[in-house]
Amino acid sequence: MAANWKMCKTPAETTRFFEKFRPLVEKSEHCEIVICPPFTSLAAAVEAVQGSRVGVGAQNIAWAKEGAFTGEISGPMIQATGAAYTLVGHSERRQYFGETDETVLKRTQAALQFGLTPIVCVGERLEDRESGATEAVLARQFQNGIAGLNELQFGKIAIAYEPVWAIGTGKTATPEIAADTHRTLRAQVRGKFGKQAADSVRILYGGSVKPDNTKALMAQTEIDGVLVGGASLDPVGFASIVNF
Ligand code: PGA
Protein backbone atom coordinates (compact mmCIF):
# COMPACT_ATOMS: atom_id res chain seq x y z
CA MET A 1 0.00 0.00 0.00
CA ALA A 2 1.84 3.05 -1.24
CA ALA A 3 1.30 6.76 -0.67
CA ASN A 4 2.33 9.43 -3.15
CA TRP A 5 2.25 12.79 -1.41
CA LYS A 6 3.23 14.66 -4.61
CA MET A 7 4.26 18.26 -3.81
CA CYS A 8 2.76 18.25 -0.31
CA LYS A 9 4.15 18.30 3.24
CA THR A 10 7.19 19.99 4.74
CA PRO A 11 9.50 18.04 7.10
CA ALA A 12 7.53 19.31 10.14
CA GLU A 13 4.23 18.27 8.54
CA THR A 14 5.77 14.90 7.73
CA THR A 15 6.75 14.32 11.35
CA ARG A 16 3.24 15.24 12.49
CA PHE A 17 1.72 12.82 9.97
CA PHE A 18 3.73 9.90 11.32
CA GLU A 19 2.90 10.69 14.94
CA LYS A 20 -0.72 9.96 14.07
CA PHE A 21 -0.15 7.31 11.40
CA ARG A 22 2.30 4.95 13.11
CA PRO A 23 0.09 3.74 15.95
CA LEU A 24 -2.73 3.08 13.46
CA VAL A 25 -0.67 0.66 11.36
CA GLU A 26 1.43 -0.91 14.10
CA LYS A 27 -0.37 -4.23 13.73
CA SER A 28 -0.82 -4.10 9.96
CA GLU A 29 1.33 -7.00 8.88
CA HIS A 30 -0.65 -8.09 5.83
CA CYS A 31 1.14 -5.73 3.46
CA GLU A 32 4.16 -3.59 2.75
CA ILE A 33 3.54 0.10 3.48
CA VAL A 34 5.47 2.77 1.61
CA ILE A 35 5.19 6.54 1.88
CA CYS A 36 6.68 8.74 -0.86
CA PRO A 37 7.09 12.33 0.38
CA PRO A 38 8.85 15.11 -1.55
CA PHE A 39 12.67 14.84 -1.57
CA THR A 40 13.01 17.55 1.08
CA SER A 41 10.93 15.52 3.54
CA LEU A 42 12.61 12.14 2.95
CA ALA A 43 15.00 12.44 5.89
CA ALA A 44 12.21 13.47 8.27
CA ALA A 45 10.10 10.53 7.05
CA VAL A 46 12.95 8.04 7.47
CA GLU A 47 13.53 9.26 11.00
CA ALA A 48 9.83 9.09 11.81
CA VAL A 49 9.45 5.47 10.65
CA GLN A 50 12.48 4.13 12.60
CA GLY A 51 11.55 0.89 14.33
CA SER A 52 8.32 0.44 12.32
CA ARG A 53 7.49 -1.63 9.26
CA VAL A 54 6.76 1.49 7.19
CA GLY A 55 9.07 2.12 4.24
CA VAL A 56 9.95 5.43 2.61
CA GLY A 57 10.32 6.18 -1.08
CA ALA A 58 11.23 9.09 -3.35
CA GLN A 59 8.92 10.28 -6.14
CA ASN A 60 11.55 10.33 -8.88
CA ILE A 61 15.21 9.52 -9.45
CA ALA A 62 17.88 10.80 -11.81
CA TRP A 63 19.31 8.34 -14.33
CA ALA A 64 22.85 9.50 -13.64
CA LYS A 65 24.88 9.03 -10.50
CA GLU A 66 26.05 12.65 -10.31
CA GLY A 67 26.98 15.55 -12.53
CA ALA A 68 25.56 18.50 -14.41
CA PHE A 69 21.83 17.75 -14.08
CA THR A 70 20.37 20.84 -12.39
CA GLY A 71 17.31 20.06 -10.32
CA GLU A 72 17.76 16.29 -10.35
CA ILE A 73 18.32 14.00 -7.34
CA SER A 74 20.42 10.86 -7.78
CA GLY A 75 20.13 7.30 -6.48
CA PRO A 76 23.03 7.64 -4.02
CA MET A 77 21.46 10.85 -2.63
CA ILE A 78 18.13 9.11 -2.11
CA GLN A 79 19.84 6.08 -0.63
CA ALA A 80 21.77 8.32 1.78
CA THR A 81 18.47 9.55 3.27
CA GLY A 82 17.59 5.94 4.16
CA ALA A 83 14.73 5.70 1.64
CA ALA A 84 14.42 2.29 -0.01
CA TYR A 85 11.89 2.86 -2.83
CA THR A 86 11.21 5.31 -5.60
CA LEU A 87 8.34 6.05 -7.93
CA VAL A 88 9.34 6.27 -11.60
CA GLY A 89 7.38 7.58 -14.57
CA HIS A 90 4.40 9.00 -12.71
CA SER A 91 1.92 10.40 -15.21
CA GLU A 92 2.42 13.91 -13.82
CA ARG A 93 6.13 13.57 -14.66
CA ARG A 94 5.18 12.34 -18.14
CA GLN A 95 2.54 15.05 -18.68
CA TYR A 96 4.23 18.14 -17.24
CA PHE A 97 7.95 17.40 -17.20
CA GLY A 98 8.66 15.65 -20.46
CA GLU A 99 9.22 12.15 -19.08
CA THR A 100 9.33 9.56 -21.84
CA ASP A 101 9.24 5.76 -21.89
CA GLU A 102 12.97 5.83 -22.59
CA THR A 103 13.81 8.04 -19.59
CA VAL A 104 11.51 5.91 -17.44
CA LEU A 105 13.65 2.90 -18.33
CA LYS A 106 16.87 4.76 -17.55
CA ARG A 107 15.55 5.98 -14.20
CA THR A 108 14.31 2.48 -13.33
CA GLN A 109 17.75 1.05 -14.11
CA ALA A 110 19.37 3.70 -11.91
CA ALA A 111 17.03 2.85 -9.02
CA LEU A 112 17.99 -0.81 -9.28
CA GLN A 113 21.66 0.03 -9.59
CA PHE A 114 21.52 1.93 -6.29
CA GLY A 115 19.49 -0.69 -4.44
CA LEU A 116 16.12 1.09 -4.48
CA THR A 117 12.87 -0.68 -5.32
CA PRO A 118 11.25 1.14 -8.25
CA ILE A 119 7.47 1.43 -8.49
CA VAL A 120 7.07 2.10 -12.20
CA CYS A 121 3.90 3.91 -13.24
CA VAL A 122 2.02 3.38 -16.49
CA GLY A 123 -1.44 4.42 -17.62
CA GLU A 124 -3.53 5.73 -20.48
CA ARG A 125 -5.16 9.14 -20.94
CA LEU A 126 -8.90 9.65 -21.25
CA GLU A 127 -8.71 10.08 -25.04
CA ASP A 128 -6.77 6.81 -25.28
CA ARG A 129 -9.44 4.90 -23.37
CA GLU A 130 -12.28 6.54 -25.30
CA SER A 131 -10.68 5.76 -28.64
CA GLY A 132 -10.02 2.15 -27.66
CA ALA A 133 -6.25 2.66 -27.57
CA THR A 134 -5.66 1.62 -23.94
CA GLU A 135 -3.99 -1.67 -24.78
CA ALA A 136 -1.78 -0.11 -27.46
CA VAL A 137 -0.69 2.72 -25.15
CA LEU A 138 0.17 0.34 -22.32
CA ALA A 139 2.01 -1.92 -24.76
CA ARG A 140 4.05 1.04 -25.99
CA GLN A 141 4.85 2.18 -22.44
CA PHE A 142 5.86 -1.38 -21.57
CA GLN A 143 7.86 -2.19 -24.71
CA ASN A 144 9.77 1.09 -24.84
CA GLY A 145 10.14 1.20 -21.04
CA ILE A 146 10.50 -1.66 -18.58
CA ALA A 147 10.70 -4.38 -21.24
CA GLY A 148 14.27 -3.11 -21.59
CA LEU A 149 15.18 -4.55 -18.17
CA ASN A 150 16.71 -8.00 -17.89
CA GLU A 151 14.82 -10.77 -16.06
CA LEU A 152 16.69 -10.34 -12.82
CA GLN A 153 16.02 -6.59 -12.81
CA PHE A 154 12.36 -7.08 -13.72
CA GLY A 155 11.93 -9.38 -10.71
CA LYS A 156 12.74 -6.46 -8.41
CA ILE A 157 10.24 -3.87 -9.58
CA ALA A 158 6.59 -3.18 -8.85
CA ILE A 159 4.26 -1.68 -11.44
CA ALA A 160 1.56 0.89 -10.74
CA TYR A 161 -1.30 1.07 -13.22
CA GLU A 162 -2.72 4.58 -12.99
CA PRO A 163 -5.21 5.61 -15.65
CA VAL A 164 -4.58 9.34 -16.09
CA TRP A 165 -8.33 10.03 -16.27
CA ALA A 166 -8.70 8.65 -12.72
CA ILE A 167 -5.88 10.60 -11.06
CA GLY A 168 -7.09 13.40 -8.81
CA THR A 169 -10.39 13.51 -10.67
CA GLY A 170 -12.51 11.55 -8.22
CA LYS A 171 -13.22 9.09 -11.06
CA THR A 172 -11.91 5.74 -9.89
CA ALA A 173 -11.69 2.99 -12.46
CA THR A 174 -14.26 0.36 -11.47
CA PRO A 175 -12.62 -2.66 -9.86
CA GLU A 176 -13.51 -4.61 -13.01
CA ILE A 177 -11.88 -2.09 -15.40
CA ALA A 178 -8.77 -1.96 -13.19
CA ALA A 179 -8.53 -5.75 -12.94
CA ASP A 180 -9.11 -6.14 -16.65
CA THR A 181 -6.31 -3.70 -17.45
CA HIS A 182 -4.00 -5.42 -14.94
CA ARG A 183 -4.65 -8.65 -16.88
CA THR A 184 -3.63 -6.89 -20.09
CA LEU A 185 -0.43 -5.69 -18.44
CA ARG A 186 0.32 -9.14 -17.05
CA ALA A 187 -0.13 -10.62 -20.52
CA GLN A 188 2.46 -8.18 -21.84
CA VAL A 189 4.83 -9.17 -19.03
CA ARG A 190 4.20 -12.86 -19.80
CA GLY A 191 5.06 -12.30 -23.45
CA LYS A 192 8.40 -10.76 -22.59
CA PHE A 193 9.52 -12.30 -19.29
CA GLY A 194 7.49 -15.52 -19.01
CA LYS A 195 4.71 -16.87 -16.84
CA GLN A 196 6.50 -16.86 -13.53
CA ALA A 197 7.47 -13.19 -13.82
CA ALA A 198 3.91 -12.31 -14.88
CA ASP A 199 2.37 -14.20 -11.96
CA SER A 200 4.68 -12.74 -9.37
CA VAL A 201 5.08 -9.08 -10.39
CA ARG A 202 3.07 -6.84 -8.10
CA ILE A 203 0.72 -4.47 -9.89
CA LEU A 204 -0.77 -1.64 -7.84
CA TYR A 205 -3.82 0.31 -8.94
CA GLY A 206 -3.80 4.09 -8.55
CA GLY A 207 -6.29 6.87 -9.30
CA SER A 208 -8.77 8.30 -6.77
CA VAL A 209 -8.30 5.44 -4.31
CA LYS A 210 -10.11 6.30 -1.07
CA PRO A 211 -10.98 4.60 2.20
CA ASP A 212 -14.41 3.68 0.86
CA ASN A 213 -13.37 2.09 -2.43
CA THR A 214 -10.22 0.23 -1.36
CA LYS A 215 -11.96 -2.95 -0.24
CA ALA A 216 -13.72 -3.45 -3.57
CA LEU A 217 -10.52 -2.80 -5.52
CA MET A 218 -8.48 -5.13 -3.32
CA ALA A 219 -11.14 -7.85 -3.67
CA GLN A 220 -9.91 -8.28 -7.27
CA THR A 221 -7.17 -10.91 -7.21
CA GLU A 222 -5.45 -9.04 -10.05
CA ILE A 223 -4.93 -5.97 -7.86
CA ASP A 224 -1.99 -6.48 -5.53
CA GLY A 225 -2.04 -3.09 -3.84
CA VAL A 226 -2.85 0.58 -4.33
CA LEU A 227 -0.94 3.79 -4.96
CA VAL A 228 -2.76 6.64 -3.27
CA GLY A 229 -2.35 10.36 -3.85
CA GLY A 230 -4.83 12.82 -2.32
CA ALA A 231 -6.30 10.38 0.20
CA SER A 232 -2.86 9.50 1.58
CA LEU A 233 -2.27 12.97 3.00
CA ASP A 234 -4.52 12.33 5.96
CA PRO A 235 -3.00 9.85 8.45
CA VAL A 236 -6.36 8.45 9.56
CA GLY A 237 -7.60 8.11 5.98
CA PHE A 238 -4.47 6.42 4.70
CA ALA A 239 -4.37 4.10 7.72
CA SER A 240 -7.91 3.00 6.95
CA ILE A 241 -6.86 2.32 3.34
CA VAL A 242 -3.93 0.23 4.61
CA ASN A 243 -6.25 -1.64 6.97
CA PHE A 244 -9.05 -1.98 4.40
P1 PGA B 1 -4.95 10.35 -6.55
O1 PGA B 1 -3.46 10.21 -7.14
O2 PGA B 1 -5.11 9.22 -5.54
O3 PGA B 1 -4.98 11.69 -5.91
O4 PGA B 1 -5.90 10.19 -7.69
C1 PGA B 1 -2.86 8.97 -7.36
C2 PGA B 1 -1.49 9.16 -7.94
O5 PGA B 1 -1.31 10.06 -8.79
O6 PGA B 1 -0.53 8.44 -7.58
Side-chain angles (χ1 to χ4, degrees), residues 32-145:
E32 221 169 313
I33 306 168
V34 182
I35 309 265
C36 301
F39 289 123
T40 45
S41 292
L42 282 175
V46 168
E47 196 186 323
V49 301
Q50 286 295 321
S52 78
R53 294 180 56 257
V54 181
V56 174
Q59 296 173 12
N60 192 15
I61 178 171
W63 57 76
K65 187 178 170 196
E66 64 176 7
F69 296 98
T70 303
E72 288 285 297
I73 307 282
S74 73
M77 293 169 185
I78 295 167
Q79 208 186 31
T81 68
Y85 301 79
T86 184
L87 301 177
V88 181
H90 189 276
S91 65
E92 285 150 19
R93 300 296 321 164
R94 294 177 188 259
Q95 250 182 304
Y96 308 135
F97 302 100
E99 196 76 66
T100 65
D101 299 330
E102 291 74 18
T103 56
V104 169
L105 173 62
K106 285 167 75 176
R107 291 182 196 275
T108 304
Q109 286 166 329
L112 292 166
Q113 184 186 348
F114 298 109
L116 302 165
T117 299
I119 302 170
V120 183
C121 307
V122 294
E124 81 286 3
R125 297 166 307 164
L126 182 61
E127 53 267 44
D128 302 325
R129 181 149 292 263
E130 284 178 346
S131 66
T134 299
E135 198 170 330
V137 168
L138 293 173
R140 190 207 69 218
Q141 292 179 344
F142 176 74
Q143 286 304 337
N144 296 341

Side-chain angles (χ1 to χ4, degrees), residues 146-223:
I146 48 183
L149 299 172
N150 64 37
E151 272 172 52
L152 194 68
Q153 290 172 322
F154 188 81
K156 295 181 180 162
I157 75 165
I159 298 173
Y161 166 60
E162 298 203 306
V164 178
W165 47 272
I167 295 177
T169 57
K171 282 187 203 158
T172 324
T174 62
E176 292 71 28
I177 290 179
D180 203 45
T181 317
H182 283 208
R183 265 188 290 280
T184 304
L185 276 165
R186 249 180 245 283
Q188 288 163 1
V189 173
R190 198 178 308 120
K192 171 73 191 176
F193 294 104
K195 183 175 181 323
Q196 209 204 325
D199 290 346
S200 56
V201 67
R202 286 176 297 175
I203 307 182
L204 317 186
Y205 167 77
S208 297
V209 174
K210 297 188 189 67
D212 64 5
N213 59 26
T214 305
K215 205 180 177 104
L217 288 162
M218 291 300 293
Q220 297 285 337
T221 49
E222 269 294 334
I223 301 179

